[in-house]
Amino acid sequence: MLQTLKETIHIYHTNDVHSHFEHWPKVVHYLRKKRSEHKKQNEHMVLLDIGDFIDRFHPLTEASDGKANITLLNDAAYDAVTIGNNEGITLSHKQLDTLYAHAKFPVIVANVFYENGERPHWMKPYVIMTFGCVRVAFIGVTVPFQTFYELLGWRVADPFETVAQLVEELSEKVDAIVLLSHLGVNDDEKMAEMFPQLTAILGGHTHHVFEQGKWVNETLLCGAGKFGHYVGHVTLTIDQKSRKVDMKAHVQHTEALEYECEETKQKLNDMIAQSARALAQPIVQLPETLHIDWFAPSPLATILAQALNEWCEGDVAMVNAGVLLSSLEKGVVTKGDIHRICPHPINPCKVYLRGSELKEVILQAETEQMKQLRLKGFGFRGEVMGQMVYDRITVEKEQLIDGQAHVRRIFIHDQPIDEQKTYAVATIDMFTFGHLYPEIYRAKKQYYMPEMLRDVLAWKLKNMYQS
């Protein structure tokens, strides 16, 4: 009787590390140990990252344009990665196009192209890996933030149409198809419904954790959270003759890991010290300290609102004080100082609001609930929203019997707000995502890229204080 030809493949995966390196030495030690164990047992192992490994909030990523992150992936012996929105749209076109120049692994992205429709030479739509007698295809797709990609000189295709084409092309060539998906859990579930040919989906973007995976029909969905808190592990046992695949998934919580890779820890410390030196480049000399207060008028917040208005050529501007994390002290201000107080991957933006809509936004912004809101996501890397700061908008308040200050009148350029008039409002892209401010979410928008909020602040300070 012929023996059944079966192969077992151990797939380890990370996602949404976002340059949080606190657990990285533990992650690397764990992965090296697993690789050694599997090698001794003559077992197959694959190591993948599902995107958003970089995040420009970290000085190391900022100073190296993300290239230090790629060094860390190389050192950990990753076999392939895909990109997330932090790789795709928080770097300039040139920065992304050169990010993986020294990568020792393929970058799998099927739905991003140059403007002319050509695929970048450093991207592959999929890779096929052979494990003994079986072949597995790995396809990569990333979230299609079309407007932002186009502003940066890229084209991004619909991931569902892309996967449909590739699944058709690959189904007869391989024994299993694994999707590296930086789309989020809802789209992963849709993918599994639409394409039963997908064996497993390794997910990211929405930071979901599936401790034992999640089954959608015959497809296993996996997710390993965020910030290196978990490492995912999927075991595929493939019968080459019947093409039947047995699967199981679990996640390893990195807090529970005892040992760190000392070599990685030392290298990280060295690279962080190097990045601090790179960011020590002087931007401006301040003759006075520029204070920030999240809940009261302050000069630094006022300057930022003015800077946004000038940069975006708006009629008025509004920005929350909480985007500035601390004051700028008198004396030399460096690139690192500006990054430290404004680390968010947030871009300037202009929205067009009727006076009645702008009034609604201001009324909402002036509530204590909005000022005290502790926000996570949408690019915000701070603690609390803080009060809204305006340029060319005056909000007149009065104290009512409830002891709260309520908006009495709103002036634009010293004139009462005209509810029928359309105003060009310079602000930040964070307000256009989700439903923080429904009127802004629905408004006509113009984004300014690749410059971030900190670049606009640095530009304004140079204009103000350089003779």
Side-chain angles (χ1 to χ4, degrees):
M1 191 172 166
L2 285 174
Q3 191 182 358
T4 310
L5 293 171
K6 285 188 177 181
E7 297 288 350
T8 298
I9 302 126
H10 296 273
I11 302 173
Y12 291 83
H13 57 102
T14 53
N15 61 273
D16 298 280
V17 171
H18 283 278
S19 295
H20 278 263
F21 302 127
E22 306 92 300
H23 301 292
W24 192 246
K26 280 187 172 185
V27 169
V28 173
H29 184 275
Y30 170 73
L31 291 170
R32 285 183 177 171
K33 180 168 163 262
K34 288 295 173 188
R35 201 177 278 282
S36 173
E37 287 172 4
H38 291 309
K39 194 173 180 182
K40 278 180 193 163
Q41 300 291 330
N42 289 316
E43 294 171 338
H44 307 294
M45 173 176 160
V46 183
L47 175 56
L48 308 167
D49 186 75
I50 317 301
D52 277 4
F53 187 72
I54 78 165
D55 192 313
R56 290 181 62 181
F57 95 92
H58 198 292
L60 178 57
T61 304
E62 178 74 358
S64 68
D65 296 337
K67 289 186 171 68
N69 296 63
I70 309 311
T71 300
L72 294 174
L73 290 168
N74 281 338
D75 289 351
Y78 272 72
D79 294 296
V81 306
T82 192
I83 69 168
N85 44 293
N86 273 268
E87 286 88 7
I89 60 173
T90 73
L91 297 172
S92 70
H93 187 286
K94 185 183 176 186
Q95 286 169 333
L96 175 57
D97 210 21
T98 56
L99 177 63
Y100 297 97
H102 299 293
K104 295 175 182 173
F105 46 80
V107 182
I108 312 174
V109 192
N111 64 323
V112 175
F113 305 87
Y114 289 130
E115 281 178 314
N116 63 6
E118 286 180 17
R119 192 182 302 282
H121 68 90
W122 52 270
M123 282 187 192
K124 295 178 185 296
Y126 61 86
V127 296
I128 295 174
M129 297 187 194
T130 303
F131 306 98
C133 62
V134 303
R135 284 154 60 84
V136 180
F138 296 88
I139 301 171
V141 283
T142 197
V143 62
F145 288 143
Q146 201 159 352
T147 303
F148 299 101
Y149 273 104
E150 285 174 3
L151 283 168
L152 291 167
W154 300 100
R155 267 178 57 191
V156 60
D158 180 273
F160 289 90
E161 291 172 14
T162 304
V163 170
Q165 291 165 7
L166 292 175
V167 159
E168 191 178 346
E169 178 188 333
L170 294 167
S171 285
E172 296 307 311
K173 297 180 182 174
V174 296
D175 302 289
I177 301 175
V178 175
L179 184 67
L180 284 62
S181 163
H182 197 89
L183 299 177
V185 66
N186 292 339
D187 279 359
D188 288 354
E189 288 173 357
K190 275 189 224 163
M191 283 281 182
E193 294 279 1
M194 288 174 69
F195 307 111
Q197 305 96 320
L198 295 174
T199 308
I201 299 175
L202 311 179
H205 187 52
T206 42
H207 302 176
H208 50 287
V209 181
F210 290 142
E211 299 257 356
Q212 268 95 39
K214 176 182 177 178
W215 288 95
V216 175
N217 299 328
E218 298 300 306
T219 304
L220 183 62
L221 270 56
C222 307
K226 63 176 181 177
F227 300 170
H229 291 312
Y230 301 91
V231 177
H233 178 197
V234 187
T235 309
L236 304 183
T237 302
I238 303 172
D239 184 321
Q240 196 255 341
K241 193 172 181 188
S242 68
R243 280 195 170 182
K244 187 174 182 302
V245 186
D246 289 323
M247 285 177 279
K248 59 180 182 180
H250 79 275
V251 293
Q252 172 65 54
H253 201 306
T254 52
E255 283 282 352
L257 297 173
E258 194 176 345
Y259 299 106
E260 293 184 318
C261 173
E262 291 301 327
E263 179 194 350
T264 300
K265 196 174 178 182
Q266 184 60 53
K267 186 158 188 174
L268 259 173
N269 289 339
D270 291 347
M271 289 199 297
I272 288 166
Q274 198 177 336
S275 70
R277 290 192 291 273
L279 292 173
Q281 176 189 331
I283 297 288
V284 74
Q285 176 121 8
L286 293 184
E288 60 198 341
T289 294
L290 294 175
H291 291 284
I292 181 65
D293 190 312
W294 292 340
F295 303 108
S298 57
L300 190 55
T302 300
I303 287 169
L304 181 59
Q306 290 168 351
L308 272 172
N309 213 2
E310 290 168 31
W311 187 269
C312 300
E313 299 177 324
D315 299 320
V316 296
M318 55 196 300
V319 61
N320 59 307
V323 296
L324 295 170
L325 305 190
S326 61
S327 305
L328 284 175
E329 299 299 322
K330 176 181 174 180
V332 174
V333 171
T334 67
K335 192 175 176 185
D337 292 326
I338 302 278
H339 178 265
R340 176 177 49 80
I341 71 158
C342 194
H344 332 272
I346 289 175
N347 300 100
C349 174
K350 184 160 63 182
V351 297
Y352 295 88
L353 298 173
R354 283 198 318 277
S356 56
E357 295 169 322
L358 179 55
K359 183 179 172 184
E360 282 302 313
V361 170
I362 292 169
L363 289 172
Q364 190 185 344
E366 292 299 322
T367 62
E368 276 306 305
Q369 183 187 4
M370 187 56 85
K371 291 177 189 178
Q372 299 291 343
L373 181 67
R374 292 189 172 272
L375 183 71
K376 293 290 175 205
F378 305 118
F380 188 60
R381 304 293 186 257
E383 290 183 34
V384 67
M385 285 285 281
Q387 74 167 43
M388 193 65 83
V389 184
Y390 307 100
D391 186 45
R392 301 186 186 176
I393 297 175
T394 306
V395 179
E396 200 177 88
K397 294 184 175 182
E398 61 182 345
Q399 197 136 351
L400 296 183
I401 200 160
D402 63 2
Q404 298 292 316
H406 293 263
V407 174
R408 185 162 167 263
R409 287 189 296 179
I410 299 166
F411 296 90
I412 308 285
H413 296 218
D414 300 322
Q415 297 295 315
I417 191 167
D418 182 341
E419 297 210 0
Q420 300 310 311
K421 183 178 173 181
T422 296
Y423 297 97
V425 183
T427 186
I428 53 179
D429 65 3
M430 175 177 102
F431 293 154
T432 71
F433 309 138
H435 296 280
L436 273 175
Y437 293 105
E439 288 80 10
I440 294 179
Y441 176 75
R442 292 191 296 260
K444 180 187 167 191
K445 309 162 185 73
Q446 182 179 345
Y447 296 102
Y448 295 81
M449 299 176 80
E451 292 83 8
M452 293 191 179
L453 201 52
R454 57 180 166 273
D455 299 314
V456 175
L457 179 60
W459 165 80
K460 177 67 174 171
L461 291 173
K462 278 183 189 175
N463 289 346
M464 286 176 69
Y465 292 106
Q466 278 187 347
S467 50

